[in-house]
Structure formats: structure tokens, C-alpha cells
Amino acid sequence: MSGDWFSGFDLRQDRTALIDEGRALDYGELARRCRAQAIALLGDRNDLDEERIGLLLPAGADYVTGLHGIWLAGGIAVPLSPSVTGAELDHYLSTAGITRLLTGPDVSNSVRAACQERSVALIAPSNNHAPGDSALPELGLERRAMILFTSGTTSRPKGVVIARRAIQAQVTTLMQAWEWSAEDVIPCFLPLHHIHGIINVLSCALWSGAQVHMMPRLEVGRLCEEVAAGAYSVFMAVPTVYVKLLEHFSNLDSAMAGRVKAGFARMRLNVSGSAACPVELFKRWEAATGQVLLERYGMTEIGMALSNPYRGERRAGHVGSPLPGVEVALFDEQNQPVTATGMPGEIRIKGATVFREYWGNPEATAASFHDGWFCSGDVAVIEDGYFRIMGRSSIDIIKSGGYKLSALEIEGVLLDHPLIREVAVIGLPDATWGELVAAVVVLQPGASLELETLRAWCADRLSPYKVPRALHVTEALPRNAMGKVTKPELRKLC
Ligand code: MLC
Ligand code: AMP
């Protein structure tokens, strides 16, 4: 990421980089705007010196120039969800020590209040400066470039620090493995505060000189019209999106459905990841479009680690083998490598793609590595060289529509509800979302609570995708001899 990626922007000048709200932006103009944004951020400084700058913008040209402007100026970009609540934002601002938030004019009052409370300046995208000869800092690959917040087995999300070298490694391994080229065109509708959208879609495309159609949210109807018109060559999504597309196909008249399916059939690649793709979904997608989904496995802390082959057998229910330059092995509970075929072990990863640290949390960083391997918490087996994910070691992690959610974080919020005495949050299997958030609660004596009332109460405390979709009221939570809630038993109650 020394400069190669950005000099690529300059070299391509007239080629279209982005389509944003129907308007095309070429690489030359994109490069000019990114530099101008960097200069605006620098003011009279030479280097932002890893200043943390929040990025709260919808998917569009301003997001892209904001992200690259921060990178070019030597800052650390902290992309945040547009649906962030004030309480969630306060945690991000304080944990990452964010000093400025790059955002648009329609920012919510709760975001304004959270920023005011922490003296964080709200700044608007600024790319009108003429870059002229202003020098940008020389930046080594060891510099930190991005913090992404991820939920896990702790109650509050942790900030995953990704250095320039790791971004470079994450992008280049995918460009090589999936044969990205400047001829590619991809829609970008996944959230741009997670690596799936930032690295796999946006960065791989821009580093390859490809074209990205920015969409602030998934609009299935519009997307399908563009697919039918042959707009795209590559498509990347979480399994929930493929389920939603199949549902949409069945609501279209047969001529239109045929055109959309033919549009997918003509693409060179359809990728699924961020959550398990059920074998049935893999088969239904192939039957509908002729596309054999390429399933891969990754994580915020490590980028992509495992992938089915671009050329070769893509095996349903499997996530393939290690990507170029990524070391992946299975380990048992005694930290011994698992070598026998078909024996489960924890997936551990080494290589240049791995993150640097959890921001300001050396204990959590140390706990997540063993002998230099990053311990993913995911359990897999290897069958004929293909990894198959068996599950996660923690029941407190929920994957809903590709978002990783912490049961503990949601429990922490629900416990503040005046009518709730005890709570346990679990993920329930769901055909569309993979898992759905369910809350099992013990109420204060004589109290009653409806799901919709609880959801309304959660609205300004939790991002929409974390809000429980199911509520079960019980007299007591099942506990083991140690007094710990036995969550597997809760599934039977719901
Ligand atoms: C939306 N909703 C969800 C949800 N997304 N509920 C649970 N889980 C989710 N993931 C809720 C909304 O709050 C709303 O509720 C209702 O569903 C419809 O919302 P929507 O906005 O119309 O949904 P939609 O736009 O269709 O969003 C679905 C989606 C989105 C799949 C496009 O969830 C999404 O972008 N997921 C991808 C997340 C991602 O990128 N993960 C990668 C992490 S990185 P109501 O009550 O208002 O009706 C990673 C590493 C790796 O995992 O390997 O890639
Ligand atoms: P995140 O922390 O949001 O980056 O999510 C990473 C987690 O998503 C991994 O630890 C896995 O549990 C899960 N994941 C990603 N890809 C897959 C996949 N193809 N199959 C199963 N789980 C996956």
C-alpha cells in the first residue's frame, strides 16, 4: 500500500471508477478528490500521525474520497455504521480516541450529541481544494490505517487495528485468487464499516482498476434491473442476500425473472461469505442462475483466509483451502495441531493479512494469539483439502445476515430495561438470516412485556440489526451448578 494502489488511480485517468447516484466518476477525478481531501484534513500539518478520524457517510463518492483522504494524510480511518445509535457511537469515540468525524449534513441529533459530549468535531467532506504541489506524507507499510469495530465474546465491540501492510496483503491475495481485472464491474451494497464491503468489494475493485456501483443500501428490485441489463461481471454478498434474491425472482413475471437470471448467469463470478452458505441455498442458486457460488471464509481480524478455487471444484458446504500467502491450521484444545482427516479443530491463522492489535486493549490482543497464530474461535474439519466450518466455540456470538453480534452486548443493554430482571440472548436458526436474535427474559414480579414494546425501547440504544426479533418470558433461566446460564437449553424454550 506504499503508493502502488494510488498511483494506479492516476494512471487510469479516464476510466470510470465509481458510479454514484447515476453519475460516473473517473479515476483521474477520484485521485484529485482524494488528494484534496487529504490536504483539507492535514490543514497546516505534514502528517496526521495516526489521528483517528471517524467516517460516517453513506456508500458514495464522498465515502471513498474520505477513506482514501485519511489514508493519504497518514490518519487512521474508523468507518462507522450509518445506523449507529448515540450510545454505540459514544463507545467507538471513546475507545478509539476519535477526534474528528467526517460526515454529511443530515447527521442525527443523537450523533451530534455524542460528538459534542466528547468534543469530537463534525467535519464535512471537502474535496474542492486544488491539490497543487502540496506534499503528502511518505508512509511506511507498518503504519496503522484502519480501525474496524467488531463484536465478540466481550460485552462491548473491540477496535481491530489493521496496518497498511495487512490491507495490501488482504487485497492482493484476493486480486490474485479471484482474478480481478480492470474489466470488472461490481455493485457495492454491503455496509462499508466491515471488511466484506471495504476490502473484498471496494478495495479489490479500485486496486484492479475496475468499476464500482455504489449503493447506500440493498435495493433488490433496482439491483435486479441492473443485473438484467448486464451491468455487472462480479457479485459478492452474504447468504441472506442470495435468499432475498431468490425470493424476489419468484415474485417477478417470468420474462423479467428470466432476464435477471440470465444477467447473473453471464457474470464471471458470484461469491458468498461472512456466514455459512447452506448447501440447499448453494444448489438453489445454481439451479436458478447456473452460477456455482464461490464460498470463502474470513474475519475482521484476518481478512480472507480460506476460499474455494476460482478455477476448479467449488464444493458446497465447504470454504475451500488457504488463500495465497495465508497460513491456516487446525488446533485442538491442548493447542496441538490437528492432522487427522475429518478431526475437528480451531481454525488458526498466520500471515501478513492478520491485524495488528485491538486498539487500547493489549490483554484482549494477547489472549487472541497463541504461538503467533491468531485463534479464530471457529471450529472446522478438513476433507480432501477443503475446510468445512462446523461452528463456533462461543455460543455468545450470533451471526445474523452476515453481521457478527455479541449476545453479551445485547444482554447488557436489555438489563437496563426497568421491567427486566434477568436476560439471556441467543441466536435462533433462521432460513433467511442464518440466525435471529432472541431474548429470554425473567421480568420483575407482576410485570408483562411485549416484543414490539421491547423493540421500540431498543431503537435508540441498539443498531436495528441487533434488536431482538423474538422474546420469550420465563420464570427462571436454566443454570448449571456454577450458576451460569445454560444457553443450549434456552433454544428448546423458544
Ligand atoms: C437488516 N435487518 C436485520 C439485518 N439487516 N436484522 C437482523 N440481521 C440483519 N443482518 C432488519 C432491519 O433492521 C429491518 O428491521 C429489516 O431487517 C429489513 O431491513 P432492511 O434494511 O430492508 O434489510 P436489508 O437491507 O435487506 O439488509 C439485509 C442485508 C444486511 C443482508 C443486506 O443485513 C447486510 O448488509 N448484511 C451484511 C453485513 C456484512 O457486511 N457483514 C460482513 C461482516 S465482515 P425492521 O424491524 O425495521 O423491519 C465478515 C468477515 C467476512 O463477516 O468473512 O466477510
Ligand atoms: P466478523 O467478525 O464480522 O468479521 O465475522 C467473522 C466470522 O464470520 C467468522 O469468524 C465466522 O464465524 C463467520 N464466517 C465468515 N465466513 C464464513 C463462511 N463462509 N462460513 C461460515 N462462517 C463464516
Side-chain angles (χ1 to χ4, degrees), residues 423-445:
V423 60
V425 165
I426 53 170
L428 293 181
D430 182 84
T432 301
W433 299 96
E435 286 181 298
L436 273 187
V437 175
V440 182
V441 298
V442 178
L443 297 177
Q444 304 293 359

Side-chain angles (χ1 to χ4, degrees), residues 87-304:
E88 290 166 337
L89 182 61
D90 184 67
H91 172 71
Y92 302 146
L93 297 178
S94 61
T95 310
I98 292 172
T99 45
R100 293 188 272 174
L101 184 70
L102 200 53
T103 190
D106 47 0
V107 62
S108 70
N109 288 338
S110 62
V111 166
R112 276 183 203 283
C115 288
Q116 202 170 5
E117 183 77 15
R118 300 251 169 217
S119 305
V120 172
L122 296 180
I123 51 173
S126 166
N127 44 44
N128 295 323
H129 293 66
D133 293 331
S134 305
L136 292 172
E138 288 282 323
L139 302 166
L141 285 174
E142 298 316 317
R143 287 279 288 262
R144 298 168 178 85
M146 188 155 69
I147 296 179
L148 296 178
F149 276 92
T150 187
S151 297
T153 46
T154 48
S155 58
R156 308 303 301 272
K158 297 189 290 269
V160 175
V161 178
I162 306 171
R164 287 168 186 262
R165 186 184 298 286
I167 294 185
Q168 176 165 286
Q170 292 180 8
V171 174
T172 49
T173 192
L174 292 184
M175 283 167 64
Q176 182 188 338
W178 298 344
E179 301 189 14
W180 272 95
S181 91
E183 303 312 311
D184 283 320
V185 186
I186 188 168
C188 179
F189 50 80
L190 291 174
L192 287 175
H193 61 290
H194 283 306
I195 52 164
H196 196 161
I198 300 171
I199 300 289
N200 299 22
V201 178
L202 184 66
S203 301
C204 282
L206 294 179
W207 288 39
S208 308
Q211 201 181 104
V212 191
H213 292 207
M214 305 299 286
M215 298 180 184
R217 58 185 305 274
L218 176 68
E219 287 174 61
V220 175
R222 184 180 141 204
L223 181 70
C224 283
E225 281 167 23
E226 294 177 354
V227 168
Y232 304 116
S233 64
V234 179
F235 190 83
M236 292 187 192
V238 298
T240 300
V241 171
Y242 290 104
V243 174
K244 287 183 173 236
L245 284 166
L246 286 166
E247 259 168 39
H248 184 73
F249 295 170
S250 59
N251 295 328
L252 292 172
D253 68 54
S254 63
M256 182 59 186
R259 284 199 292 278
V260 179
K261 290 175 189 175
F264 276 105
R266 282 196 300 273
M267 293 186 199
R268 71 168 186 88
L269 179 63
N270 287 183
V271 179
S272 173
S274 301
C277 176
V279 172
E280 200 223 332
L281 177 61
F282 178 99
K283 289 185 178 156
R284 285 175 62 210
W285 190 252
E286 185 175 6
T289 66
Q291 283 282 349
V292 181
L293 284 172
L294 183 154
E295 186 172 7
R296 64 23 170 217
Y297 161 90
M299 194 173 180
T300 305
E301 287 87 336
I302 56 157
M304 297 302 112

